[in-house]
Amino acid sequence: MSKLSKRAFESSSALTAAAATLPPAKKHAFQPWQNVLKQYVDSPESFDSSIVKSFDHEMVVIYDAFPKSSKHFLALPRNTTATNVQSLSTAHLSLLESFQSVFKTLQEEFPESNLRAGFHAIPSMAHLHLHILSDDMISPALKNKKHWNSFTTKFFVPLDEVVEKVAVVGSIEMNPPLYEALLKGPLVCHKCFKTVKNMPELKRHLEAHLTQK
């Protein structure tokens, strides 16, 4: 799995330093629309194969309804007490192994896509879910800076990093203001680390990378 370089992370250092001094954000209740993932977990067999890619007694894999790359999947555990990354503990190590298994299966199915797997530090949807997506980041649904930075900064926490921290430390701690600040950082290409001015320029830049393959 590819990792952002130190240079890319440092581009948001001023913002993250400022955010670290802010008080913790208040816990908020999810809105009804944010619980939409539950239906796939409860009754995956009732959905078309264009929506639910696969499922078994442990995990459901769906196609992201608003993909941020040419390939973008969500892995949803069917039975878990964890609601987000912060709620993971050593009791969930077997669940994390299941996530790793799903990721490996998709990597084998799409070997040319250079898939990445990770969690959003602050998820927008209820129900624990793992993002698995190709690194081209080419999609009409990728529309703004928040979309981009949620997958190309430390806001996107790699699966292997989560597994390691839970196994060693026993939990994952998040500072919401710090991660929210990352979403407002500059637009930096995740491949060559060039900073661009706006989304149209970024999309042209990404297309250039695609043609260079």
Side-chain angles (χ1 to χ4, degrees), residues 23-29 176-177 180:
K26 293 182 179 180
K27 186 176 181 180
H28 69 280
E180 288 168 359

Side-chain angles (χ1 to χ4, degrees), residues 7 19 26 48 53 92 101 112 145 160 164 174:
R7 176 183 172 188
K26 293 182 179 180
D48 188 81
K53 178 174 173 51
H92 300 106
S101 178
E112 303 301 319
K145 179 185 288 189
D160 57 354
E164 181 178 0
M174 296 291 176

Side-chain angles (χ1 to χ4, degrees), residues 96-151:
L96 291 171
E97 290 177 359
S98 295
F99 276 132
Q100 289 178 312
S101 178
V102 170
F103 181 38
K104 181 179 179 181
T105 297
L106 289 172
Q107 284 180 306
E108 293 172 349
E109 184 175 352
F110 304 104
E112 303 301 319
S113 295
N114 195 19
L115 296 177
R116 300 184 296 134
F119 302 91
H120 279 159
I122 306 172
S124 59
M125 306 293 288
H127 196 91
L128 179 67
H129 56 283
L130 175 73
H131 290 272
I132 301 173
L133 70 167
S134 53
D135 76 340
D136 55 89
M137 302 298 288
I138 302 292
S139 171
L142 184 68
K143 296 181 177 181
N144 55 52
K145 179 185 288 189
K146 182 177 180 180
H147 289 166
W148 177 258
N149 285 335
S150 69
F151 287 100

Side-chain angles (χ1 to χ4, degrees), residues 22 35 40 94 106 147 174 184:
L22 297 174
N35 289 292
Y40 306 118
S94 61
L106 289 172
H147 289 166
M174 296 291 176
K184 301 175 183 178

